[in-house]
Amino acid sequence: MHQFCKRRLFVWCLLAITGPWSVAQAEDRAKAQNDAASVGGKEAVTIEQTDDGLAVKIKGEEFTVFHHGATLPKPYFWPVRGPGGAILTRPNDPNEKEHPHHRGIWLSVDEVNHVRFWAEKGRIVTTDVKSKSGNPGTIEMTNEWIGLDGTPALIEKTIVSIYPERLITYDTTLAPPVGKLARFDDTKEGFFGFRVAQSMREKEGGIVTNSDGKKTTAECWGQPAKWVDYTGVVDAKTYGVALMDHPGNFRPSRYHVRDYGLFSMSPFGEGAYQNDESKSQPVILDADTPSLRFRFGAYIHAGNATEGKVAEAYKQFIEVTK
């Protein structure tokens, strides 16, 4: 249906429901709603295929690129830009020696059937991907987690939603192939990660705080929280990244946040994060528990956690991931 016809239909529905508005008033409201989803005639979030991958723009401004393909060790978003274009992720240098598997935004975890996917010893291959511009823009993917024997250990179904406020949500379901089981052993190496720019690191003056008011990587590491925010300076301006956990996940995540720039969260490391092996709680997916669903958020903002309204962004995260 043509956009004008859709808007006219919306107008007359409003009139039927709400009573004697004027057509002009109803059209003004319809136009405002339409404008909220687009800017300058374009979708608020646009996703287009390029030679590098799926390029994501917010209101015409470059935001990130989704990389996927059979030659990559896993799919990931890189670079990730703050308002104004500053890059908030570490350079993706093929010669990087320190944790080269930390790539922008990604999702993986070690010790799945004894395979270290976080360390890229197993590969995560995207077998299907679809994208759609809008508010939000979405990327829907199917990934196979390929074990050392060359067969899938897990099938991942993920919908990534990207909002104009620079909120990214992951809605992920993991399941073993039919007739198989998947065992997640206790590890701190995972699961939803972001590698911040070098200048943002706590060791360079960056600030880490969480939803419970704890500060520094020392206080926030290994702790569950609604969100943790990592703020630092890029190009002489302050920016931040907040990672968010959903209360509907099967277990609260604990945060693996370091002064050298690693920033991740995982529900699979109860023993490791508490430095107590007796608290380990391995997870097995089988006929009784055939799959697990996860919802995580990453919010990119200017300013510190207060200026960037992280608490408000968390409320939006909860509202859009029901």
Side-chain angles (χ1 to χ4, degrees):
M1 185 184 294
H2 190 278
Q3 187 66 33
F4 176 78
C5 295
K6 287 182 178 178
R7 199 168 74 191
R8 273 286 184 183
L9 178 60
F10 175 70
V11 168
W12 289 111
C13 287
L14 282 177
L15 288 171
I17 294 169
T18 60
W21 277 14
S22 71
V23 171
Q25 285 175 313
E27 285 203 333
D28 285 346
R29 174 166 289 195
K31 182 178 184 300
Q33 185 180 72
N34 186 61
D35 289 345
S38 63
V39 177
K42 297 182 179 180
E43 299 288 353
V45 178
T46 59
I47 304 175
E48 298 179 351
Q49 182 67 55
T50 69
D51 291 340
D52 293 330
L54 293 174
V56 182
K57 293 183 179 180
I58 293 178
K59 301 177 184 178
E61 183 177 272
E62 291 183 357
F63 179 47
T64 187
V65 177
F66 178 64
H67 301 269
H68 65 93
T71 62
L72 298 176
K74 64 185 174 228
Y76 58 92
F77 288 90
W78 182 90
V80 180
R81 300 175 183 271
I87 295 177
L88 309 190
T89 41
R90 183 181 70 171
N92 193 21
D93 184 351
N95 299 313
E96 179 62 57
K97 302 299 182 184
E98 183 260 295
H99 298 98
H101 49 280
H102 295 172
R103 306 172 188 271
I105 299 176
W106 74 102
L107 189 148
S108 63
V109 65
D110 274 354
E111 311 307 333
V112 180
N113 295 349
H114 306 296
V115 179
R116 300 176 63 202
F117 286 97
W118 181 263
E120 298 182 350
K121 303 304 181 184
R123 296 173 60 245
I124 302 176
V125 179
T126 301
T127 59
D128 185 54
V129 63
K130 301 180 181 69
S131 64
K132 183 179 180 181
S133 300
N135 184 1
T138 58
I139 297 174
E140 186 172 353
M141 70 185 93
T142 300
N143 298 322
E144 293 186 352
W145 294 41
I146 307 298
L148 302 181
D149 63 357
T151 65
L154 287 171
I155 306 298
E156 173 196 336
K157 300 281 189 179
T158 291
I159 299 174
V160 178
S161 300
I162 303 170
Y163 294 83
E165 298 83 1
R166 284 181 164 76
L167 173 67
I168 301 173
T169 67
Y170 268 60
D171 191 332
T172 295
T173 299
L174 296 179
V178 176
K180 296 187 178 182
L181 64 79
R183 178 185 173 96
F184 297 80
D185 283 316
D186 193 273
T187 176
K188 62 181 175 60
E189 308 301 340
F191 170 49
F192 180 57
F194 192 110
R195 182 59 194 255
V196 304
Q198 299 294 72
S199 62
M200 291 179 65
R201 299 179 296 175
E202 187 181 56
K203 66 194 313 184
E204 305 295 336
I207 297 172
V208 174
T209 185
N210 75 9
S211 56
D212 298 323
K214 294 180 178 178
K215 298 182 181 297
T216 76
T217 56
E219 287 192 11
C220 295
W221 188 89
Q223 300 300 311
K226 293 178 180 178
W227 54 261
V228 173
D229 187 69
Y230 208 132
T231 295
V233 174
V234 177
D235 298 335
K237 294 183 179 180
T238 299
Y239 298 94
V241 178
L243 296 188
M244 301 174 176
D245 195 25
H246 196 282
N249 292 340
F250 84 99
R251 180 190 294 163
S253 291
R254 294 176 183 270
Y255 290 79
H256 191 17
V257 55
R258 297 296 200 186
D259 66 355
Y260 64 82
L262 172 61
F263 188 18
S264 67
M265 55 194 298
S266 174
F268 293 115
E270 285 296 284
Y273 286 123
Q274 297 180 80
N275 298 309
D276 186 345
E277 189 174 344
S278 70
K279 295 181 179 179
S280 297
Q281 298 182 47
V283 177
I284 296 177
L285 298 183
D286 55 17
D288 294 328
T289 307
S291 66
L292 283 175
R293 181 189 180 195
F294 306 87
R295 283 159 287 179
F296 299 115
Y299 171 55
I300 317 303
H301 60 88
N304 59 30
T306 301
E307 295 164 340
K309 299 182 178 179
V310 172
E312 289 85 343
Y314 178 78
K315 292 179 181 178
Q316 180 186 0
F317 165 64
I318 295 300
E319 289 173 356
V320 300
T321 52
K322 293 179 180 178

